[in-house]
Amino acid sequence: MKAEITPTSQINTKQQNYLLMVLRPLKPFFSNGKSATGFIIFLIFLIIAIFAPLIAPYSPSAAIYDPNLPPTADHWFGTTNTGQDIYSQFIFSARNTMVVGFGAGILSTIIGLIFGVIAGYRGGLTDAILSFIMNLFLVMPGLALLIVIEAYLKASTPFVNGLIIAFTGWAWGARVFRSQTMTLARRDFISAAKMSGKSSLRIMITEICPNMMSLIAGNIMFATLGAILAEAGLAFLGLEDINSTSWGIMLYWASSNAALLRGAWWWFVPPGVGIALVGLSLVLMNFAIDQITNPRLKTQKRRKNRGRKAARA
């Protein structure tokens, strides 16, 4: 007799299926060493950003400890010249830096996608007008434009900086999306969609954008990296509220207090390493995104695996 499935086993099976469904998209991130390393580094910083209040041992703004302490058991990254715990500042700065970076990266990608897809699909006068706007933003010196805007705002917050970076850094992605859309618009499946009565908006959303997922994901990664570096650069130049918390502000205070000249390496090394590691993780994860969205890479990987199995046999 076949054993009857109890309700408990049914629940366990459903939980396992749900877990597999959630983890299946993450499988490509562990398909090679580069993407796995990048994903692990990114996951560590993501956990730090989410649970910053629980991880940080002290308040980042509390100036109640001995100043200029090197790393100790009580203060892992030492203290500033005003007695603030650098490790706590580093933890809370990770949250703001990643939120600003990813927010600006996603927003700039959305803006670029709208301009690029509409210009590439519609063509004609619409393409000419939108391309002129793209070229206008492309020829503008990005850092100089950001500095001018920041000078008028006077000590903006990291989140305002993220919005400014997004609205000034979308044009590069838009040009790439426009070129790819012009190529896809000539394909047979687009002609078939037009003949079936689909509207232009629906074709752009359901037919063109899904076929550019590799470009969209890659643009988000590198736009995020650019946003993190831009925000850190603006903060380092003092064009941000110096009382806010970010890795760029940490570098600003370290520079203002001559930490390098005084040999206080524990003040400026952690934020610099944090920015470098987050950027490295984004670059390494891009290998996995290419494998997810590029069928050619999947085919090549299968051929390599078959070749290895044949060689072993």
Side-chain angles (χ1 to χ4, degrees), residues 98-177:
M98 293 192 68
V99 169
V100 170
F102 272 94
I106 293 173
L107 182 58
S108 65
T109 300
I110 292 174
I111 297 172
L113 191 64
I114 292 172
F115 274 78
V117 172
I118 293 176
Y121 181 79
R122 300 293 296 182
L125 181 61
T126 303
D127 182 27
I129 295 173
L130 295 180
S131 295
F132 173 77
I133 298 174
M134 294 179 209
N135 295 332
L136 186 64
F137 276 88
L138 282 174
V139 298
M140 288 182 181
L143 182 60
L145 181 61
L146 288 171
I147 291 175
V148 170
I149 296 174
E150 292 290 343
Y152 277 100
L153 292 177
K154 295 181 180 180
S156 63
T157 64
F159 300 102
V160 174
N161 280 350
L163 291 175
I164 297 171
I165 293 168
F167 284 113
T168 57
W170 55 268
W172 290 101
R175 295 292 298 182
V176 176
F177 295 143

